[in-house]
């Protein structure tokens, strides 16, 4: 393994392939099947490469913790059902989600091209990854995508004080000419769960509006909010979207809502186990006409955003990706050594 | 026409059927075909009945204005194309949207039952209605629904100062046992355009965070914001959702984005002309199993929200509906008289 000398802020830089190989080796060591180990390595390295540390290689440690305490099957072979209408269904059988997504993707793409719209239902998976890698895998096929997943019940509904919703991310992607699609991926909670944990660990106050204590009073104390409830972004609108995610990625697809997922966890603090819904759309089929004119219309929108100095979502992430590919992926030294220790 | 005596706050109460008859008569008088007049009357009376005045019978006046200044065709017969895959397409041919939706609904329901997921594309329509009447028409069939539409470019992207997005509403519905579905319908702008207009008319300041002046500085002056730009709700997340609406209900379906719709209007202040995308989902098909267990899961979610004293979206609207059905629909007397004058 080639490692560049540590930079002053105590990080290590590794070529993507080396970090992939290391992560894969650790996952095998942790008992994952080769197919799971590869899919998981791709997922956590993509997060690290794009400077999303909360979805990066530190998740290897969460997976190790989850394997020690939860009913996850590290070798579960996902079962792809025969496509029914426009619906592709993969039962992850209580394995990690990335392999289940990879197994369903070709059928989703085929179904979407055939019907104009396609739905991929993932069931019974331990889910820790960002949604943008999935959305980008779909835009790479020239399709638009919308992905929704629940998590653990940590977020109170607008006007309430008790946790009901997960952090319930929504991700969307639109294929563009050139290297990068239009992509966003955000939690419907006012703050990501990982960021709340960081504030708790560092003893720093939360920004206002992120949560309430167990009496339902607004609080910036991360411990009080962890014992009370987080809040949705954007008031009643964000709260409504979070409810939609529960319904679409839970009740609609016959999988758990975040209340059930949290109950299943029973305080273990493992990676949440639940379902996911991914919708895909074929612009060539939905436009009913000239796909080039339509592509230009989207580019006109993006130009109207960027020429006034506003950024497109994911722009920072794509910049980080370019840096990582050119200079190697940056990993904090302490974390790198923890991961190395797991590889032995 | 039976009218109850005016209540002290100068409103008139009319039975729903009488208001429907009056609205239908006015629309005929304004030159709409009988089919359009009936669909439009149902739409504006539903808004008034549910105490949504901005989508109520005052819209009769906006329609009258639009007929006087825009290239709307009041008698356009919508053209329903043969369903292609899961996609139902209706060309409204520059007529008002409610009839186009009604013409597409049966095919959308059939397509969704057949494929699990269905998409209804409405193109080239003058669109002023709330999205919840459409979403409720779909939940009444036991399906879930997600509806998106753009408007006129009034809203700046996060980090910007120039209008790009419309107020771009998102509506979602989930079928429930009992009289009312779970429904939300909100603008992705921080304030509705109609509310901005009300503040401008009354000279009252906007709540903070709703807009910027033409120099991009935050402003609560409704006139300065109307000349500058409105903002999305929820910061960069709401802005990202608004971009998604432009892409899904514009570029994806081969219709205008809000910049084009505003340019077409050319300052006339008519009802916006653009497209709409309505997605529908069949829980029986997507669950892959026991639809009753799935329904119960959704009800468990709603109970977890309401038993802590939080409200479900649309609850106030359903209460207003019950009052209107029992006691008649309330219309401000001055507005009622303006409408009556149009009927003669």
């Amino acid at each position: 393994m080639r490692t560049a000398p540590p930079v002053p802020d105590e990080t290590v830089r590794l070529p993507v392939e080396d970090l992939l190989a290391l992560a894969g080796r650790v996952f095998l060591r942790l008992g994952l099947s080769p197919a799971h180990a590869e899919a998981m390595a791709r997922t956590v390295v993509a997060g690290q490469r794009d400077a999303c540390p909360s979805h990066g290689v530190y998740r290897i440690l969460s997976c190790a913790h989850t394997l020690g305490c939860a009913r996850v099957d590290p070798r579960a072979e996902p079962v792809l059902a025969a496509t029914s209408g426009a619906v592709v269904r993969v039962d992850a059988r209580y394995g990690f989600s990335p392999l289940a997504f990879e197994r369903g993707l070709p059928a989703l793409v085929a179904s979407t091209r055939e019907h104009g719209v396609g739905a991929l239902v993932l069931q019974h998976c331990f889910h820790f990854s960002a949604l943008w890698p999935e959305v980008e895998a779909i835009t790479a096929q020239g399709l638009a995508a919308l992905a929704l997943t629940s998590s653990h019940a940590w977020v109170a509904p607008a006007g309430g004080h008790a946790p009901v919703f997960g952090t319930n991310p929504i991700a969307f992607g639109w294929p563009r000419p050139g290297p990068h699609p239009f992509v966003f991926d955000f939690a419907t909670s006012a703050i990501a769960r990982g960021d709340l944990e960081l504030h708790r660990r560092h003893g720093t106050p939360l920004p206002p509006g992120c949560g309430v204590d167990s009496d339902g009073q607004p609080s910036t104390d991360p411990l009080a909010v962890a014992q009370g409830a987080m809040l949705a972004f954007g008031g009643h609108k964000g709260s409504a979207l979070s409810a939609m995610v529960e319904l679409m990625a839970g009740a609609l697809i016959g999988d758990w809502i975040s209340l059930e997922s949290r109950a299943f966890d029973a305080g273990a603090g493992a990676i949440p186990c639940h379902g996911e819904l991914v919708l895909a759309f074929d612009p060539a089929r939905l436009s009913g006409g000239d796909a080039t004119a339509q592509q230009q219309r989207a580019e006109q929108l993006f130009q109207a955003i960027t020429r006034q100095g506003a950024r497109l979502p994911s722009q920072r992430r794509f910049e980080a990706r370019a840096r990582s590919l050119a200079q190697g992926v940056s990993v904090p030294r302490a974390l790198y050594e923890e991961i190395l220790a797991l590889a032995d």
Side-chain angles (χ1 to χ4, degrees), chain A residues 119-307:
Chain A
L120 171 61
V121 170
L122 302 182
Q123 279 186 295
H124 313 129
C125 47
F126 283 80
H127 200 296
F128 69 96
S129 71
L131 299 180
W132 56 257
E134 301 178 356
V135 158
E136 286 192 27
I138 297 167
T139 57
Q141 304 289 326
L143 306 175
L146 179 64
L148 311 166
T149 189
S150 54
S151 64
H152 278 170
W154 286 316
V155 176
H161 57 274
V164 175
F165 306 139
T167 49
N168 293 7
I170 297 178
F172 174 75
W174 176 265
R176 298 183 67 185
H180 300 308
F182 173 91
V183 174
F184 67 77
D185 177 358
F186 60 74
T188 52
S189 51
I191 188 170
R193 187 70 187 180
D195 289 335
L196 173 68
E197 297 298 342
L198 283 176
H199 280 284
R200 185 152 67 160
R201 211 176 309 157
H202 300 155
T204 49
L206 301 172
C210 290
V212 292
D213 64 22
S214 48
D215 295 325
Q217 296 304 310
S219 176
T220 59
D221 174 0
L223 190 61
V225 168
Q227 290 165 345
M230 299 162 73
L231 292 175
F233 92 99
H236 72 279
K237 295 181 181 181
S239 178
L241 286 170
S242 195
M244 179 185 81
V245 174
E246 295 288 335
L247 293 167
M248 293 280 280
L252 179 69
I253 64 168
D255 210 315
W256 288 337
I257 55 177
S258 294
L259 283 165
E260 294 169 289
S261 176
R262 190 176 184 178
F264 173 80
D265 184 62
I271 287 168
C273 180
H274 48 72
E276 181 183 347
L277 176 64
V278 186
L279 301 172
F281 307 91
D282 187 350
R285 291 293 300 277
L286 276 149
S287 69
D290 182 349
T292 308
Q294 189 184 359
Q295 187 67 262
Q296 284 168 351
R297 183 167 271 147
E299 294 304 312
Q300 183 190 345
L301 181 79
F302 302 139
Q303 282 158 26
I305 294 171
T306 55
R307 76 167 165 244

Side-chain angles (χ1 to χ4, degrees), chain A residues 48-59:
Chain A
Q48 197 72 30
R49 177 199 67 197
D50 283 13
C52 302
S54 63
H55 289 99
V57 293
Y58 116 89
R59 290 285 181 161

Side-chain angles (χ1 to χ4, degrees), chain A residues 1-7 11-15 18-19 22 327 329 331 333 336-337 340:
Chain A
M1 173 111 6
R2 291 163 286 146
T3 63
V7 291
T11 65
V12 180
R13 282 194 180 277
L14 296 101
D18 291 5
L19 191 56
L22 171 62
Q327 304 163 17
V329 183
V331 183
R333 174 164 295 278
Y336 176 64
E337 282 168 2
L340 268 189

Side-chain angles (χ1 to χ4, degrees), chain A residues 73 76-79 91-95 123-125:
Chain A
D73 179 351
E77 192 51 34
V79 176
D91 184 348
R93 299 169 73 214
Y94 300 93
Q123 279 186 295
H124 313 129
C125 47

